[in-house]
mmCIF file with all atom_site columns, all heavy atoms in Angstrom:
data_model
loop_
_atom_site.group_PDB
_atom_site.id
_atom_site.type_symbol
_atom_site.label_atom_id
_atom_site.label_alt_id
_atom_site.label_comp_id
_atom_site.label_asym_id
_atom_site.label_entity_id
_atom_site.label_seq_id
_atom_site.pdbx_PDB_ins_code
_atom_site.Cartn_x
_atom_site.Cartn_y
_atom_site.Cartn_z
_atom_site.occupancy
_atom_site.B_iso_or_equiv
_atom_site.pdbx_formal_charge
_atom_site.auth_seq_id
_atom_site.auth_comp_id
_atom_site.auth_asym_id
_atom_site.auth_atom_id
_atom_site.pdbx_PDB_model_num
ATOM 1   N N   . SER A 1 155 ? 100.318 263.163 58.666 1.00 98.00 ? 167 SER A N   1
ATOM 2   C CA  . SER A 1 155 ? 100.864 264.298 57.901 1.00 98.00 ? 167 SER A CA  1
ATOM 3   C C   . SER A 1 155 ? 100.028 265.508 58.046 1.00 98.00 ? 167 SER A C   1
ATOM 4   O O   . SER A 1 155 ? 98.838  265.575 58.140 1.00 98.00 ? 167 SER A O   1
ATOM 5   C CB  . SER A 1 155 ? 100.912 263.813 56.402 1.00 98.00 ? 167 SER A CB  1
ATOM 6   O OG  . SER A 1 155 ? 101.652 262.654 56.220 1.00 98.00 ? 167 SER A OG  1
ATOM 7   N N   . THR A 1 156 ? 100.794 266.636 57.969 1.00 98.00 ? 168 THR A N   1
ATOM 8   C CA  . THR A 1 156 ? 100.001 267.918 58.019 1.00 98.00 ? 168 THR A CA  1
ATOM 9   C C   . THR A 1 156 ? 99.811  268.382 56.575 1.00 98.00 ? 168 THR A C   1
ATOM 10  O O   . THR A 1 156 ? 99.829  267.575 55.624 1.00 98.00 ? 168 THR A O   1
ATOM 11  C CB  . THR A 1 156 ? 100.915 268.935 58.750 1.00 98.00 ? 168 THR A CB  1
ATOM 12  O OG1 . THR A 1 156 ? 102.099 269.143 58.067 1.00 98.00 ? 168 THR A OG1 1
ATOM 13  C CG2 . THR A 1 156 ? 101.174 268.480 60.114 1.00 98.00 ? 168 THR A CG2 1
ATOM 14  N N   . GLY A 1 157 ? 99.448  269.645 56.372 1.00 98.00 ? 169 GLY A N   1
ATOM 15  C CA  . GLY A 1 157 ? 98.983  270.044 55.091 1.00 98.00 ? 169 GLY A CA  1
ATOM 16  C C   . GLY A 1 157 ? 97.577  269.581 54.740 1.00 98.00 ? 169 GLY A C   1
ATOM 17  O O   . GLY A 1 157 ? 96.921  269.187 55.610 1.00 98.00 ? 169 GLY A O   1
ATOM 18  N N   . CYS A 1 158 ? 97.183  269.678 53.444 1.00 98.00 ? 170 CYS A N   1
ATOM 19  C CA  . CYS A 1 158 ? 95.700  269.585 53.169 1.00 98.00 ? 170 CYS A CA  1
ATOM 20  C C   . CYS A 1 158 ? 95.658  268.572 51.883 1.00 98.00 ? 170 CYS A C   1
ATOM 21  O O   . CYS A 1 158 ? 96.400  268.805 50.963 1.00 98.00 ? 170 CYS A O   1
ATOM 22  C CB  . CYS A 1 158 ? 95.091  270.862 52.771 1.00 98.00 ? 170 CYS A CB  1
ATOM 23  S SG  . CYS A 1 158 ? 95.016  272.026 54.195 1.00 98.00 ? 170 CYS A SG  1
ATOM 24  N N   . PRO A 1 159 ? 94.637  267.677 51.933 1.00 98.00 ? 171 PRO A N   1
ATOM 25  C CA  . PRO A 1 159 ? 94.389  266.893 50.808 1.00 98.00 ? 171 PRO A CA  1
ATOM 26  C C   . PRO A 1 159 ? 93.600  267.831 49.672 1.00 98.00 ? 171 PRO A C   1
ATOM 27  O O   . PRO A 1 159 ? 92.752  268.488 50.054 1.00 98.00 ? 171 PRO A O   1
ATOM 28  C CB  . PRO A 1 159 ? 93.454  265.822 51.212 1.00 98.00 ? 171 PRO A CB  1
ATOM 29  C CG  . PRO A 1 159 ? 92.781  266.415 52.516 1.00 98.00 ? 171 PRO A CG  1
ATOM 30  C CD  . PRO A 1 159 ? 93.774  267.424 53.135 1.00 98.00 ? 171 PRO A CD  1
ATOM 31  N N   . THR A 1 160 ? 94.031  267.567 48.439 1.00 98.00 ? 172 THR A N   1
ATOM 32  C CA  . THR A 1 160 ? 93.431  268.417 47.367 1.00 98.00 ? 172 THR A CA  1
ATOM 33  C C   . THR A 1 160 ? 93.091  267.609 46.149 1.00 98.00 ? 172 THR A C   1
ATOM 34  O O   . THR A 1 160 ? 92.912  268.103 45.150 1.00 98.00 ? 172 THR A O   1
ATOM 35  C CB  . THR A 1 160 ? 94.327  269.665 46.921 1.00 98.00 ? 172 THR A CB  1
ATOM 36  O OG1 . THR A 1 160 ? 95.557  269.007 46.541 1.00 98.00 ? 172 THR A OG1 1
ATOM 37  C CG2 . THR A 1 160 ? 94.495  270.549 48.116 1.00 98.00 ? 172 THR A CG2 1
ATOM 38  N N   . ALA A 1 161 ? 92.963  266.298 46.264 1.00 98.00 ? 173 ALA A N   1
ATOM 39  C CA  . ALA A 1 161 ? 92.599  265.457 45.086 1.00 98.00 ? 173 ALA A CA  1
ATOM 40  C C   . ALA A 1 161 ? 93.418  265.689 43.887 1.00 98.00 ? 173 ALA A C   1
ATOM 41  O O   . ALA A 1 161 ? 93.100  266.098 42.887 1.00 98.00 ? 173 ALA A O   1
ATOM 42  C CB  . ALA A 1 161 ? 91.299  265.679 44.783 1.00 98.00 ? 173 ALA A CB  1
ATOM 43  N N   . GLY A 1 162 ? 94.681  265.461 44.137 1.00 98.00 ? 174 GLY A N   1
ATOM 44  C CA  . GLY A 1 162 ? 95.661  265.583 43.063 1.00 98.00 ? 174 GLY A CA  1
ATOM 45  C C   . GLY A 1 162 ? 96.398  266.882 42.715 1.00 98.00 ? 174 GLY A C   1
ATOM 46  O O   . GLY A 1 162 ? 96.966  267.117 41.722 1.00 98.00 ? 174 GLY A O   1
ATOM 47  N N   . GLY A 1 163 ? 96.225  267.881 43.675 1.00 98.00 ? 175 GLY A N   1
ATOM 48  C CA  . GLY A 1 163 ? 96.747  269.210 43.583 1.00 98.00 ? 175 GLY A CA  1
ATOM 49  C C   . GLY A 1 163 ? 98.208  269.162 43.627 1.00 98.00 ? 175 GLY A C   1
ATOM 50  O O   . GLY A 1 163 ? 98.853  268.193 44.090 1.00 98.00 ? 175 GLY A O   1
ATOM 51  N N   . GLU A 1 164 ? 98.811  270.341 43.267 1.00 98.00 ? 176 GLU A N   1
ATOM 52  C CA  . GLU A 1 164 ? 100.308 270.437 43.263 1.00 98.00 ? 176 GLU A CA  1
ATOM 53  C C   . GLU A 1 164 ? 100.965 270.165 44.648 1.00 98.00 ? 176 GLU A C   1
ATOM 54  O O   . GLU A 1 164 ? 101.937 269.562 44.659 1.00 98.00 ? 176 GLU A O   1
ATOM 55  C CB  . GLU A 1 164 ? 100.703 271.795 42.754 1.00 98.00 ? 176 GLU A CB  1
ATOM 56  C CG  . GLU A 1 164 ? 102.175 271.978 42.485 1.00 98.00 ? 176 GLU A CG  1
ATOM 57  C CD  . GLU A 1 164 ? 102.568 273.359 42.002 1.00 98.00 ? 176 GLU A CD  1
ATOM 58  O OE1 . GLU A 1 164 ? 101.697 274.159 41.919 1.00 98.00 ? 176 GLU A OE1 1
ATOM 59  O OE2 . GLU A 1 164 ? 103.649 273.549 41.660 1.00 98.00 ? 176 GLU A OE2 1
ATOM 60  N N   . ASN A 1 165 ? 100.200 270.623 45.653 1.00 98.00 ? 177 ASN A N   1
ATOM 61  C CA  . ASN A 1 165 ? 100.861 270.376 46.954 1.00 98.00 ? 177 ASN A CA  1
ATOM 62  C C   . ASN A 1 165 ? 100.999 268.944 47.187 1.00 98.00 ? 177 ASN A C   1
ATOM 63  O O   . ASN A 1 165 ? 101.963 268.540 47.911 1.00 98.00 ? 177 ASN A O   1
ATOM 64  C CB  . ASN A 1 165 ? 99.984  271.027 48.049 1.00 98.00 ? 177 ASN A CB  1
ATOM 65  C CG  . ASN A 1 165 ? 98.593  270.357 48.185 1.00 98.00 ? 177 ASN A CG  1
ATOM 66  O OD1 . ASN A 1 165 ? 97.851  270.118 47.201 1.00 98.00 ? 177 ASN A OD1 1
ATOM 67  N ND2 . ASN A 1 165 ? 98.279  269.985 49.369 1.00 98.00 ? 177 ASN A ND2 1
ATOM 68  N N   . GLU A 1 166 ? 100.073 268.144 46.868 1.00 98.00 ? 178 GLU A N   1
ATOM 69  C CA  . GLU A 1 166 ? 100.223 266.523 47.081 1.00 98.00 ? 178 GLU A CA  1
ATOM 70  C C   . GLU A 1 166 ? 101.350 266.103 46.345 1.00 98.00 ? 178 GLU A C   1
ATOM 71  O O   . GLU A 1 166 ? 102.135 265.146 46.781 1.00 98.00 ? 178 GLU A O   1
ATOM 72  C CB  . GLU A 1 166 ? 98.976  265.912 46.596 1.00 98.00 ? 178 GLU A CB  1
ATOM 73  C CG  . GLU A 1 166 ? 97.835  266.185 47.499 1.00 98.00 ? 178 GLU A CG  1
ATOM 74  C CD  . GLU A 1 166 ? 96.602  265.409 47.162 1.00 98.00 ? 178 GLU A CD  1
ATOM 75  O OE1 . GLU A 1 166 ? 96.668  264.569 46.201 1.00 98.00 ? 178 GLU A OE1 1
ATOM 76  O OE2 . GLU A 1 166 ? 95.575  265.562 47.954 1.00 98.00 ? 178 GLU A OE2 1
ATOM 77  N N   . THR A 1 167 ? 101.734 266.536 45.058 1.00 98.00 ? 179 THR A N   1
ATOM 78  C CA  . THR A 1 167 ? 102.880 266.149 44.354 1.00 98.00 ? 179 THR A CA  1
ATOM 79  C C   . THR A 1 167 ? 104.159 266.543 45.108 1.00 98.00 ? 179 THR A C   1
ATOM 80  O O   . THR A 1 167 ? 105.174 265.889 45.162 1.00 98.00 ? 179 THR A O   1
ATOM 81  C CB  . THR A 1 167 ? 102.852 266.689 42.974 1.00 98.00 ? 179 THR A CB  1
ATOM 82  O OG1 . THR A 1 167 ? 101.660 266.368 42.174 1.00 98.00 ? 179 THR A OG1 1
ATOM 83  C CG2 . THR A 1 167 ? 103.970 266.369 42.156 1.00 98.00 ? 179 THR A CG2 1
ATOM 84  N N   . ILE A 1 168 ? 104.266 267.767 45.477 1.00 98.00 ? 180 ILE A N   1
ATOM 85  C CA  . ILE A 1 168 ? 105.272 268.229 46.243 1.00 98.00 ? 180 ILE A CA  1
ATOM 86  C C   . ILE A 1 168 ? 105.624 267.404 47.522 1.00 98.00 ? 180 ILE A C   1
ATOM 87  O O   . ILE A 1 168 ? 106.748 267.106 47.883 1.00 98.00 ? 180 ILE A O   1
ATOM 88  C CB  . ILE A 1 168 ? 105.110 269.760 46.590 1.00 98.00 ? 180 ILE A CB  1
ATOM 89  C CG1 . ILE A 1 168 ? 105.227 270.674 45.367 1.00 98.00 ? 180 ILE A CG1 1
ATOM 90  C CG2 . ILE A 1 168 ? 106.297 270.299 47.540 1.00 98.00 ? 180 ILE A CG2 1
ATOM 91  C CD1 . ILE A 1 168 ? 104.804 272.044 45.547 1.00 98.00 ? 180 ILE A CD1 1
ATOM 92  N N   . GLY A 1 169 ? 104.580 267.240 48.274 1.00 98.00 ? 181 GLY A N   1
ATOM 93  C CA  . GLY A 1 169 ? 104.715 266.264 49.544 1.00 98.00 ? 181 GLY A CA  1
ATOM 94  C C   . GLY A 1 169 ? 105.295 264.906 49.093 1.00 98.00 ? 181 GLY A C   1
ATOM 95  O O   . GLY A 1 169 ? 106.218 264.525 49.746 1.00 98.00 ? 181 GLY A O   1
ATOM 96  N N   . ALA A 1 170 ? 104.683 264.351 48.231 1.00 98.00 ? 182 ALA A N   1
ATOM 97  C CA  . ALA A 1 170 ? 105.200 263.022 47.800 1.00 98.00 ? 182 ALA A CA  1
ATOM 98  C C   . ALA A 1 170 ? 106.732 263.086 47.207 1.00 98.00 ? 182 ALA A C   1
ATOM 99  O O   . ALA A 1 170 ? 107.521 262.238 47.637 1.00 98.00 ? 182 ALA A O   1
ATOM 100 C CB  . ALA A 1 170 ? 104.331 262.394 46.653 1.00 98.00 ? 182 ALA A CB  1
#
Side-chain angles (χ1 to χ4, degrees):
S167 293
T168 61
C170 299
T172 55
E176 184 180 13
N177 67 307
E178 292 186 355
T179 302
I180 293 171

